[in-house]
Amino acid sequence: MSIQHLALLKEGAVRWIEWRRQNPEIEPDLSEANLRGANLRGASLRGANLRKADLCKAKLITANLSHANLAHANLQEAQLMDANLQEADFSIANLSEANLRDADLGNANLIGADLRMVNLKGANLSNANLIGADLREANLSGADLGGAKLGRSNLCEANLIAANLIEADLTGANLYNAELMGAYLYKANLHKANLSEAHLSKAYIFRANLSEADFYAADLRWANLVRTTLAGANLSKANLRGANLTAADLTGANLTGAHLTGANLQRAILPNGTT
């Protein structure tokens, strides 16, 4: 950590912005700095080293943290609304209960991050790496997760209403009781994902890989499941009323107690291999 850089930052956002403007080539070293509750609204921290920094409850609204190193940093309850976090490294960081509404996290690294109860409503997480991240009870409504890596992530009881998950990788993810109404899951990979008791009514799941996924008692009413792969999936007690399963592959799927009233199974491959 650079004592000079920390002292400059603590002089306030105006002084810091001026110094950054005059020294654009310098990448600030603020690793392990104590910035709890600091007001850094609008600050330029692009490429800064904030590894293991304490930013608990810090105000970083509209701040530029693109390409910054925030690995293992503490950002619990931090305010990051509208912040530029593109390609930032948040691996193993604590972002629980932080507010990242409308923030830009495109291509960010969030491997193993603690994102419990975080507000990511409307945020851009396209192509972000969230493998193994804890997103329990997170608000991701309307968020862009297109192409995101969410393998083995915990999205239990998360709000993903109308979220964009096109071509996202959710292999082995936990989506128990998650809210996915109207979500876009075109070509998403949900192989062996847990979606038991999840809410997917009117979700767009066209051509997704749902093989061996667990949809026990899930709500899939009026969902678009055209050409999905549901081979070996557990759909017992699932509500598929009015769902479109045209040309879906249900080979070996468990439909015990499933509600299929009004479902479209035209050209679908049924569990016993018939069509």
Side-chain angles (χ1 to χ4, degrees), residues 44-80:
S44 176
L45 291 157
R46 176 183 169 85
N49 181 4
L50 287 151
R51 182 180 175 85
K52 293 186 178 180
D54 189 351
L55 289 150
C56 178
K57 296 184 179 179
K59 296 177 179 64
L60 290 152
I61 302 159
T62 70
N64 184 355
L65 286 151
S66 59
H67 301 272
N69 181 358
L70 290 137
H72 297 271
N74 179 17
L75 291 133
Q76 186 176 18
E77 296 184 53
Q79 296 180 38
L80 291 140

Side-chain angles (χ1 to χ4, degrees), residues 249-252 268-275:
D249 183 359
L250 290 151
T251 305
I269 302 172
L270 301 178
N272 59 6
T274 61
T275 56

Side-chain angles (χ1 to χ4, degrees), residues 146-192:
K149 299 177 182 68
L150 288 148
R152 301 186 306 281
S153 60
N154 189 352
L155 287 148
C156 176
E157 299 185 344
N159 179 353
L160 288 147
I161 295 171
N164 173 22
L165 289 150
I166 293 173
E167 295 188 340
D169 185 359
L170 290 140
T171 305
N174 181 11
L175 290 139
Y176 167 76
N177 201 29
E179 304 282 351
L180 289 143
M181 289 85 79
Y184 297 87
L185 289 145
Y186 173 69
K187 286 188 176 180
N189 187 356
L190 289 132
H191 176 64
K192 290 189 175 180

Side-chain angles (χ1 to χ4, degrees), residues 5-67:
H5 295 169
L6 181 58
L8 278 164
L9 188 59
K10 287 189 173 181
E11 285 183 30
V14 175
R15 176 73 178 93
W16 178 262
I17 291 168
E18 177 63 19
W19 179 77
R20 286 307 308 270
R21 188 185 65 80
Q22 294 173 356
N23 301 276
E25 75 287 351
I26 296 176
E27 293 187 351
D29 183 3
L30 297 159
S31 54
E32 301 185 45
N34 181 1
L35 293 161
R36 289 178 72 91
N39 186 355
L40 303 169
R41 185 186 185 108
S44 176
L45 291 157
R46 176 183 169 85
N49 181 4
L50 287 151
R51 182 180 175 85
K52 293 186 178 180
D54 189 351
L55 289 150
C56 178
K57 296 184 179 179
K59 296 177 179 64
L60 290 152
I61 302 159
T62 70
N64 184 355
L65 286 151
S66 59
H67 301 272

Side-chain angles (χ1 to χ4, degrees), residues 93-105:
N94 179 6
L95 288 144
S96 59
E97 299 182 70
N99 191 343
L100 291 106
R101 182 167 180 161
D102 297 317
D104 188 350
L105 289 135

